[in-house]
């Protein structure tokens, strides 16, 4: 019997109704997954709190924790992830985020209240009569990412400010484990919160959230660039690795075209890379420079933005943004050049290889304010 194709299964006349049913299925599936993840995180919190209390009161030692791991195995040999090391990670999870220092960071950062951070069953444990000690309530912000990501954050971040930033960032960008590790390695916290001096005043006025959306520095190690290369080589490698490039830029970017042609006054010009930003609802033109930033490059980019806005921007879209992606940039020269820029522009520096350095601490208040406005 010949198998029907999708068009036979879902005729055009009923496709909209079928989509409604499928949406109901997928939305409830997502809720089920979310409930499971939330309950799992709450379980880690309660176990961590229980074991932590026993250790702090000297009721338990390292040997007892090992015995607990063995006991869980005897009760359910099929259960995985209950080694004594994992139990200690749960203790670390509880101790870190039930501390006064983390509570103070939360208060100072003014983390936005959001239903997205609250599990469907309110994170309370007062109704759990079998817990024979007073347990701190789990901060709702912890629910914005999963247990594995929390382990990565605890292992790789040194301060509460870093931990809070990366759990919020992982939640917003829906980062997988490897993506989160890369974000921490490339110091996204510093790059994302430190880009004010590389944006024009028009950019800041037109898009107030731009400093928390666009990085001042990105890494292109995924391209495998040679020691010497031309702009055409850089562009081709970016297009060949577009998925990784967008992950580095930010997941709100949608790729439109390379060497995008615009014709003005009988002459044709080419924009190296053209994107669309979903959140800001505007086109983003990226010009590539394999040399150090020069003020004349900004004039070229502003010309492209004016052409895009007059010739291609739709009535429901916002003014186009321009990004100069340069290999090197003198911050003082950049600041002088951007002071007179009348367009939403910014200068971003790229590095061919990862250069993992120390983390520069910055305030989280602005990032949390952005998340609150986004909700």
């Amino acid at each position: 019997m010949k198998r029907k194709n999708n068009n036979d299964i879902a005729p055009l006349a009923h496709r909209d109704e079928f989509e409604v049913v499928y949406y109901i299925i997928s939305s409830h599936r997502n809720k089920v997954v979310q409930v499971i993840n939330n309950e799992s995180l709450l379980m880690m919190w309660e176990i961590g709190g229980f074991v932590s209390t026993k250790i702090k009161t000297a009721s338990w030692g390292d040997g007892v924790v090992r015995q607990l791991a063995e006991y869980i195995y005897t009760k359910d040999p099929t259960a995985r992830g209950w080694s004594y090391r994992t139990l200690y990670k749960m203790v670390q999870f509880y101790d870190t985020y039930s501390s006064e220092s983390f509570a103070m960071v939360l208060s100072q950062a003014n983390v936005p209240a959001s239903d997205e951070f609250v599990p469907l069953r309110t994170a309370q444990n007062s109704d759990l009569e079998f817990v024979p000690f007073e347990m701190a309530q789990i901060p709702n912000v912890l629910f914005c990412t999963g247990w594995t990501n929390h382990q990565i954050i605890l292992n790789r971040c040194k301060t509460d400010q870093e931990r809070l930033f990366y759990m919020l960032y992982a939640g917003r960008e829906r980062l997988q484990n490897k993506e989160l590790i890369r974000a921490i390695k490339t110091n996204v916290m510093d790059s994302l919160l430190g880009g004010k001096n590389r944006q024009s005043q028009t950019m800041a006025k037109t898009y107030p959230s731009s400093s928390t959306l666009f990085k001042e520095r990105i890494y292109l190690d995924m391209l495998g660039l040679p020691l010497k290369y031309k702009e055409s080589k850089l562009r081709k490698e970016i297009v060949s690795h577009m998925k990784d490039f967008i992950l580095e830029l930010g997941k709100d970017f949608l790729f439109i075209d390379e060497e995008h042609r615009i014709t003005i006054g009988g002459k044709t010009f080419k924009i190296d890379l053209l994107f669309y930003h979903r959140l800001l609802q505007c086109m983003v033109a990226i010009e590539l420079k394999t040399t150090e930033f020069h003020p004349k490059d900004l004039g070229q980019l502003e010309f492209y933005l004016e052409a895009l806005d007059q010739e291609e921007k739709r009535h429901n879209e916002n003014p186009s943004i321009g990004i100069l992606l340069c290999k090197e940039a003198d911050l003082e020269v950049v600041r002088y050049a951007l002071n007179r820029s009348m367009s939403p522009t910014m200068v971003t520096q790229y590095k061919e290889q990862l250069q993992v350095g120390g983390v520069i601490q910055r305030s989280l208040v602005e990032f949390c304010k952005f998340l609150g406005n986004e909700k």
Side-chain angles (χ1 to χ4, degrees):
M1 180 178 178
K2 184 178 180 181
R3 187 175 181 178
K4 296 181 179 180
N5 58 37
N6 289 337
N7 291 331
D8 294 329
I9 295 174
L12 186 61
H14 301 288
R15 191 167 297 169
D16 291 343
E17 289 91 340
F18 291 177
E19 282 296 322
V20 172
V21 175
Y22 183 75
Y23 172 78
I24 295 173
I25 295 171
S26 59
S27 62
H28 283 284
R29 281 177 175 172
N30 291 336
K31 286 182 179 180
V32 169
V33 172
Q34 188 64 44
V35 169
I36 293 173
N37 290 337
N38 288 340
E39 289 297 323
S40 176
L41 207 63
L42 191 57
M43 175 181 65
M44 306 299 182
W45 179 265
E46 292 174 359
I47 293 173
F50 183 86
V51 176
S52 174
T53 301
K54 290 297 182 181
I55 293 174
K56 289 175 182 176
T57 58
S59 299
W60 287 13
D62 184 66
V64 178
V65 178
R66 288 177 179 271
Q67 291 174 13
L68 172 61
E70 293 171 359
Y71 178 78
I72 294 173
Y73 177 77
T74 59
K75 295 288 289 185
D76 185 2
T78 63
R80 295 182 178 181
W82 295 103
S83 68
Y84 81 97
R85 290 189 180 87
T86 304
L87 292 172
Y88 272 118
K89 289 179 181 178
M90 296 177 194
V91 171
Q92 181 190 17
F93 179 65
Y94 177 84
D95 287 346
T96 300
Y97 298 125
S98 64
S99 65
E100 292 183 5
S101 61
F102 185 72
M104 185 176 296
V105 168
L106 279 178
S107 176
Q108 293 173 345
N110 194 22
V111 177
S114 170
D115 293 339
E116 186 178 339
F117 295 159
V118 183
L120 299 183
R121 180 171 77 80
T122 305
Q124 299 279 356
N125 48 39
S126 57
D127 59 333
L128 302 179
E129 298 179 358
F130 62 84
V131 181
F133 66 96
E134 184 178 354
M135 181 189 295
Q137 182 174 333
I138 183 171
N140 287 333
V141 70
L142 300 187
F143 290 98
C144 68
T145 194
W147 170 243
T148 304
N149 276 352
H150 275 299
Q151 292 182 69
I152 293 170
I153 291 170
L154 285 170
N155 290 337
R156 293 175 177 266
C157 296
K158 298 178 181 179
T159 67
D160 288 330
Q161 288 85 354
E162 287 178 73
R163 296 183 189 106
L164 177 57
F165 171 82
Y166 283 109
M167 69 175 71
L168 289 170
Y169 184 70
R172 183 189 180 277
E173 295 290 322
R174 291 177 170 81
L175 297 184
Q176 301 298 320
N177 307 150
K178 291 182 179 180
E179 296 168 358
L180 175 58
I181 291 173
R182 178 180 176 82
I184 296 174
K185 278 186 176 181
T186 57
N187 198 1
V188 167
M189 180 178 177
D190 177 52
S191 180
L192 199 61
L193 302 185
K196 291 182 180 179
N197 294 328
R198 295 176 182 260
Q199 295 186 356
S200 66
Q201 294 181 6
T202 306
M203 177 81 145
K205 290 179 181 178
T206 309
Y207 300 104
S209 62
S210 59
S211 63
T212 54
L213 288 173
F214 299 99
K215 301 174 184 176
E216 68 169 8
R217 179 183 62 256
I218 65 172
Y219 291 89
L220 303 182
D221 54 296
M222 78 289 289
L223 305 185
L225 293 168
L227 293 177
K228 294 183 179 181
Y229 53 90
K230 297 181 179 180
E231 289 177 7
S232 58
K233 172 69 174 178
L234 176 60
R235 187 189 69 253
K236 289 178 181 178
E237 289 300 327
I238 288 176
V239 173
S240 298
H241 298 79
M242 184 54 66
K243 180 179 178 180
D244 293 329
F245 182 69
I246 288 180
L247 287 175
E248 181 67 13
L249 280 180
K251 292 186 177 181
D252 281 320
F253 284 87
L254 299 175
F255 179 56
I256 297 178
D257 196 11
E258 65 168 314
E259 292 197 294
H260 184 74
R261 293 173 178 268
I262 48 175
T263 301
I264 306 295
K267 293 184 178 180
T268 300
F269 304 86
K270 297 179 182 179
I271 301 174
D272 286 337
L273 298 170
L274 186 63
F275 293 84
Y276 186 81
H277 198 278
R278 292 186 302 169
L279 180 62
L280 300 181
Q281 294 186 328
C282 68
M283 289 180 286
V284 180
I286 297 182
E287 276 298 291
L288 306 174
K289 300 297 176 183
T290 58
T291 55
E292 187 174 7
F293 167 78
H294 194 283
K296 66 179 180 181
D297 301 331
L298 201 57
Q300 178 190 25
L301 182 60
E302 289 182 320
F303 172 78
Y304 290 159
L305 296 183
E306 185 66 21
L308 286 172
D309 285 348
Q310 289 199 30
E311 300 296 327
E312 299 190 23
K313 183 174 78 69
R314 297 176 180 176
H315 71 278
N316 62 322
E317 294 178 342
N318 295 312
S320 302
I321 291 173
I323 298 177
L324 273 172
L325 188 57
C326 306
K327 185 175 182 180
E328 301 291 343
D330 185 304
L331 187 58
E332 194 69 2
V333 174
V334 169
R335 185 174 67 83
Y336 269 68
L338 290 175
N339 276 345
R340 294 299 178 115
S341 175
M342 303 301 293
S343 302
T345 54
M346 70 173 296
V347 176
T348 299
Q349 190 173 352
Y350 74 86
K351 300 289 185 182
E352 295 103 330
Q353 301 296 330
L354 287 179
Q355 297 177 359
V356 184
V359 176
I360 300 175
Q361 296 304 317
R362 296 182 183 273
S363 173
L364 288 170
V365 175
E366 191 168 336
F367 185 68
C368 291
K369 187 184 295 183
F370 158 70
L371 291 178
N373 292 336
E374 190 178 35
K375 302 303 176 186

